[in-house]
Amino acid sequence: MEINGVYIEDTFAEAFPIWVSRVLITASTKRWAKIAATEATGFGCSVIMCPAEAGIEKYVPPSKTPDGRPGFIIQICHPKKSELEHQMLERLGQCVLTCPTTAIFDAMGDMAEDKLKVGFKLKFFGDGYEKKDELYGRKVYRIPIMGGEFITEAKFGVKKGVAGGNFFIMADTNATALIAAEAAVNAISSVKGVITPFPGGIVASGSKVGASNPKYKFMVATTNHKMCPTLKNVVEDSEIPEDVNGVYEIVIDGIDEESVKEAMKQGILAATRVSGVKKITAGNYGGKLGKYQIKLHELFE
């Protein structure tokens, strides 16, 4: 298959189930809401070493938020529901409650499969001076802080989502691959319910499970040597075509499989429109990692 003259390999991206929360952070200005959202999603690239996967899903204008202020929806994801709650408490309590003028609301809504008492647990910061209330048709806690009050919804919805949707962009130069990856991330940002958790939405490193070097068996993950352009003439099992000198990966987490599929489709379409892109492929482990196998060709049927 070719799209815009770019070869699409007949392979699949292997993804796995993950618990997902969607939190709306509002503030007095868009700038402060963005600062809080950025802080709360830090160190959230991959659960290989990060305590959670997290990212900013989208901006929400004042006309569509409960309190009529600008906000951002973030996602925090973890394979274990109990650990997801722990990450929400830490990230929202340390990175959002501490940020000027912020408030937090559940953004999962009717899609939730369960609800966590995150706001109820955060309210203990109020040391007994907090107040239970109902604002904007939601049950909230009002926690006194130096900046006035921190408003948190009492419960936050969570559901089983999908993590690890991915595709690789192979191009003639590293600069071309990066331009295409940026175009892909921009396109994906318009898809509801997904995040691209790596820096700027782009994976530069690429990894494989364990290590092929017997001296490095203590490593959980190491560089994906098959996908390193500088090794294409060094390792026998290189998967880099001769005319490719730059590779970037896009990883996508989302609230369901359909959202991740749509994000992959839009991202691939955007990447193939960049001159110099040679090939699109995807990462998998032969079906041994996760139950979701998202086939690249089926995205365009």
Side-chain angles (χ1 to χ4, degrees):
M1 175 184 285
E2 285 191 1
I3 296 177
N4 296 321
V6 178
Y7 174 66
I8 311 298
E9 187 170 6
D10 187 9
T11 186
F12 64 91
E14 189 169 357
F16 54 93
I18 200 165
W19 282 99
V20 182
S21 66
R22 291 178 84 228
V23 179
L24 170 63
I25 301 171
T26 66
S28 59
T29 66
K30 183 178 180 180
R31 174 176 177 268
W32 280 115
K34 181 70 174 291
I35 288 172
T38 302
E39 293 288 345
T41 55
F43 195 40
C45 296
S46 169
V47 289
I48 291 176
M49 291 294 285
C50 297
E53 295 189 7
I56 297 174
E57 179 184 319
K58 66 176 182 177
Y59 169 68
V60 184
S63 60
K64 295 185 179 181
T65 63
D67 58 3
R69 306 189 306 165
F72 285 87
I73 290 178
I74 66 169
Q75 289 187 26
I76 304 173
C77 314
H78 199 283
K80 296 181 180 179
K81 184 165 59 174
S82 60
E83 285 299 315
L84 173 58
E85 182 177 33
H86 179 70
Q87 282 298 305
M88 292 175 71
L89 286 167
E90 288 196 337
R91 292 169 181 268
L92 300 176
Q94 295 300 305
C95 302
V96 185
L97 186 150
T98 60
C99 184
T101 76
T102 55
I104 51 175
F105 302 96
D106 171 52
M108 190 63 78
D110 295 337
M111 295 183 291
E113 297 173 10
D114 196 2
K115 291 197 172 185
L116 304 179
K117 296 181 179 179
V118 173
F120 172 78
K121 294 181 179 180
L122 287 174
K123 66 110 175 180
F124 290 109
F125 182 77
D127 196 24
Y129 298 101
E130 70 280 354
K131 294 179 181 179
K132 189 175 183 179
D133 203 347
E134 185 168 324
L135 296 174
Y136 324 113
R138 301 176 182 233
K139 294 180 180 179
V140 303
Y141 286 99
R142 300 164 58 179
I143 302 171
I145 58 173
M146 292 189 296
E149 287 184 328
F150 178 73
I151 306 299
T152 173
E153 192 156 348
K155 296 181 180 180
F156 288 79
V158 297
K159 73 180 297 290
K160 267 291 180 68
V162 176
N166 71 83
F167 60 92
F168 291 83
I169 301 167
M170 296 184 168
D172 54 0
T173 68
N174 188 66
T176 300
L178 183 55
I179 291 170
E182 289 176 336
V185 171
N186 286 338
I188 290 169
S189 67
S190 66
V191 179
K192 181 181 178 180
V194 299
I195 59 171
T196 48
F198 281 80
I202 301 169
V203 185
S205 55
S207 63
K208 66 177 182 291
V209 176
S212 54
N213 189 323
K215 295 181 180 180
Y216 293 174
K217 293 301 182 183
F218 57 89
M219 291 293 293
V220 175
T222 57
T223 189
N224 188 352
H225 63 279
K226 297 179 183 181
M227 286 291 181
C228 294
T230 57
L231 298 179
K232 66 182 177 182
N233 296 318
V234 177
V235 298
E236 294 182 357
D237 55 350
S238 175
E239 296 180 4
I240 304 296
E242 189 59 37
D243 59 351
V244 167
N245 295 291
V247 181
Y248 283 104
E249 180 185 7
I250 307 296
V251 170
I252 303 160
D253 295 347
I255 57 175
D256 54 36
E257 186 178 7
E258 290 308 310
S259 298
V260 173
K261 284 182 175 180
E262 181 63 19
M264 288 177 60
K265 178 181 179 179
Q266 296 304 321
I268 290 170
L269 285 173
T272 59
R273 296 188 185 104
V274 176
S275 177
V277 173
K278 303 295 184 179
K279 177 180 176 181
I280 301 291
T281 185
N284 64 70
Y285 301 89
K288 298 178 182 179
L289 173 68
K291 68 177 185 179
Y292 299 102
Q293 297 184 13
I294 305 175
K295 298 178 180 180
L296 297 187
H297 285 194
E298 290 183 358
L299 295 174
F300 302 96
E301 291 180 350

